[in-house]
Amino acid sequence: MIKAVIIEDEFNALNTLDKLIKYTQKDIEVVAKIDNVTDAISFLKEETPDLVFLDIELIGGNAFQILEALESISFKIIFTTAYDEFAIKAIKFDTIDYLLKPIDSVELSECIDRFRVGYKKEQVYKNALDKVSELNKKEIQKTLLIKTADAQYFVQTKDIVRCQSDGAYTIFHTVDKKIMSARNLKYYENILSEHTFVRVHQSHLVNIKYIKKMNSNNTVHLTNNEVIPVATRKKSYLKQVLDNL
């Protein structure tokens, strides 16, 4: 039997994948189901599964933090993600494939078939690079998966005006709605800082494309007429960023 592990923090997604494997892949046994980075690292340091189905965003961090914490990777990986953009980062690892959510049973079977016949690293590089090239040609906008207590939203980063800390939660202010995520602002700062977002204050992460002007009283005026505080230590950095636009 092929020993597999599912690392996924969405109960419905985990349950669906587990059932798909159970009913369509008779030679695969799911030996563990894990929903967070810490437990995943501990498990993979002690156990040696053959195959890991690995969600990108997890409780306590992301998939790449898990892989980077391991001294060696002896198992094969199928990333499960809602983001085509993560194909870029997946190239760094000896991964065999990745599945886009919601996972389709046919695509799952195709991934497993490639695993069985022995998928080569060079093929992964080529397939991932081809996919990235295809995405660039289509000029698909970057999207962010925002998980709430009872739903998930796919939001284009260009439509996010700002993010505001609310304790352990983050409130997203987009061009047309508000969404409260059960993850903290630091988590999203790590993701969105690669786009056009700047942490201007302990409680505020702002998309600089929506900044209308900087005020002399340590605030910024946004295009939607909101006024957001700027920490004194962030003022010079923000001015430098805006001057370089």
Side-chain angles (χ1 to χ4, degrees):
M1 292 288 285
I2 297 169
K3 293 182 179 180
V5 175
I6 301 175
I7 303 175
E8 166 67 68
D9 69 345
E10 290 182 69
F11 175 79
N12 290 337
L14 187 154
N15 195 39
T16 298
L17 179 55
D18 187 32
K19 287 182 177 179
L20 281 174
I21 294 170
K22 180 179 180 180
Y23 293 118
T24 67
Q25 311 298 324
K26 300 302 183 182
D27 60 340
I28 296 180
E29 178 188 6
V30 176
V31 296
K33 291 175 280 189
I34 304 169
D35 68 357
N36 66 87
V37 168
T38 301
D39 288 347
I41 292 172
S42 297
F43 181 89
L44 294 174
K45 282 184 175 181
E46 297 295 329
E47 305 295 333
T48 54
D50 302 303
L51 178 62
V52 174
F53 292 89
L54 185 56
D55 186 18
I56 297 295
E57 292 207 49
L58 296 159
I59 296 172
N62 61 54
F64 302 106
Q65 290 172 295
I66 295 172
L67 300 179
E68 288 163 354
L70 302 176
E71 292 183 4
S72 63
I73 300 173
S74 59
F75 50 85
K76 294 295 184 178
I77 306 161
I78 295 178
F79 284 108
T80 58
T81 177
Y83 307 78
D84 272 350
E85 67 186 90
F86 279 110
I88 300 170
K89 208 165 185 179
I91 298 169
K92 294 171 56 181
F93 300 96
D94 188 11
T95 178
I96 64 168
D97 223 326
Y98 69 101
L99 289 166
L100 291 178
K101 295 179 181 179
I103 295 173
D104 178 82
S105 60
V106 174
E107 292 180 357
L108 171 63
S109 294
E110 290 174 351
C111 281
I112 298 300
D113 287 343
R114 286 192 286 268
F115 168 77
R116 289 192 182 98
V117 299
Y119 205 53
K120 295 181 179 179
K121 185 175 182 178
E122 289 75 19
Q123 290 177 294
V124 177
Y125 280 13
K126 183 178 186 304
N127 289 350
L129 286 169
D130 287 347
K131 189 66 176 178
V132 171
S133 176
E134 178 186 338
L135 290 172
N136 287 339
K137 287 178 183 178
K138 291 181 179 179
E139 297 182 347
I140 295 177
Q141 297 292 333
K142 304 294 186 186
T143 59
L144 179 67
L145 172 62
I146 304 174
K147 300 176 183 178
T148 68
D150 54 5
Q152 59 182 24
Y153 298 84
F154 296 94
V155 179
Q156 292 190 352
T157 57
K158 70 180 183 63
D159 292 333
I160 300 171
V161 178
R162 65 185 181 92
C163 307
Q164 183 174 351
S165 174
D166 186 1
Y169 297 85
T170 298
I171 302 172
F172 280 81
H173 297 256
T174 74
V175 293
D176 59 359
K177 58 180 169 286
K178 292 182 182 180
I179 305 169
M180 176 173 279
S181 169
R183 298 182 190 256
N184 62 33
L185 189 60
K186 181 63 177 178
Y187 174 84
Y188 289 109
E189 180 186 7
N190 290 336
I191 296 173
L192 294 172
S193 60
E194 296 181 4
H195 298 271
T196 56
F197 291 77
V198 175
R199 185 79 172 261
V200 299
H201 185 274
Q202 182 179 356
S203 300
H204 299 280
L205 181 67
V206 176
N207 188 339
I208 59 175
K209 291 183 178 180
Y210 291 96
I211 296 179
K212 188 174 182 178
K213 66 176 181 177
M214 276 191 72
N215 301 318
S216 58
N217 62 344
N218 284 10
T219 60
V220 287
H221 199 116
L222 304 185
T223 55
N224 63 0
N225 290 324
E226 289 185 309
V227 177
I228 304 300
V230 177
T232 302
R233 58 188 175 83
K234 294 284 188 177
K235 189 173 181 180
S236 59
Y237 172 70
L238 179 59
K239 185 177 185 305
Q240 181 181 358
V241 170
L242 294 175
D243 288 343
N244 290 329
L245 288 179

